[in-house]
Amino acid sequence: MQIIRFATVGVINTLLTLAIIYLLMHIGVDYRAANLAGYLVGFVVSFVLNRNWTFTHRGHWLGSFARWIVVAAVAYGGNLATVVMLHQWLGIDAHLAQLGGMPVYTLLSFVGGRYFAFKPPMTPEEMR
């Protein structure tokens, strides 16, 4: 069930992120800056939805938010490296390169969310 919820959040987040990126690129913003702006909005949306719905994390929000920052930074770094590589090294159109970076971001953010940012607290038996 978690993966289905994560995928649903991902679709919502992807559509919103791409809309922001493409809108900014359309009005002349550099593709890298547009990418950053889109992913910053997506970062907040995905934190709220994944924390409350996907992973139903009940720990303090500030701790999970700090961990989500780390997860998102790693995922975004993988995304941006992929986008730049596809566009600058392989000559793929910047619009299509944005799509190519999304699977990298998705995989890294799911694994990081599941096992780090929103990891369930240890049970007393696990602590022993």
Side-chain angles (χ1 to χ4, degrees):
M1 183 58 104
Q2 254 182 4
I3 194 71
I4 293 170
R5 288 182 179 190
F6 187 82
T8 302
V9 169
V11 168
I12 292 166
N13 201 39
T14 298
L15 294 174
L16 177 63
T17 299
L18 276 176
I20 291 167
I21 291 169
Y22 288 168
L23 174 67
L24 291 174
M25 287 173 64
H26 179 72
I27 63 173
V29 175
D30 178 77
Y31 77 98
R32 291 164 289 219
N35 183 281
L36 177 61
Y39 274 88
L40 284 175
V41 172
F43 165 78
V44 173
V45 169
S46 65
F47 171 75
V48 171
L49 293 176
N50 282 317
R51 182 181 187 277
N52 296 320
W53 188 56
T54 304
F55 300 109
T56 58
H57 185 70
R58 299 293 174 235
H60 194 271
W61 75 268
L62 191 55
S64 60
F65 186 73
R67 291 186 300 274
W68 187 246
I69 290 172
V70 173
V71 169
V74 169
Y76 180 74
N79 165 271
L80 187 59
T82 302
V83 170
V84 170
M85 179 191 68
L86 291 172
H87 180 62
Q88 290 185 352
W89 296 0
L90 300 178
I92 294 173
D93 177 75
H95 292 82
L96 294 175
Q98 298 288 354
L99 293 173
M102 288 186 153
V104 174
Y105 185 92
T106 300
L107 176 63
L108 293 173
S109 63
F110 179 77
V111 171
R114 173 78 170 91
Y115 296 104
F116 180 63
F118 307 117
K119 181 180 178 182
M122 291 177 61
T123 65
E125 294 80 30
E126 293 173 325
M127 292 179 165
R128 292 185 208 151

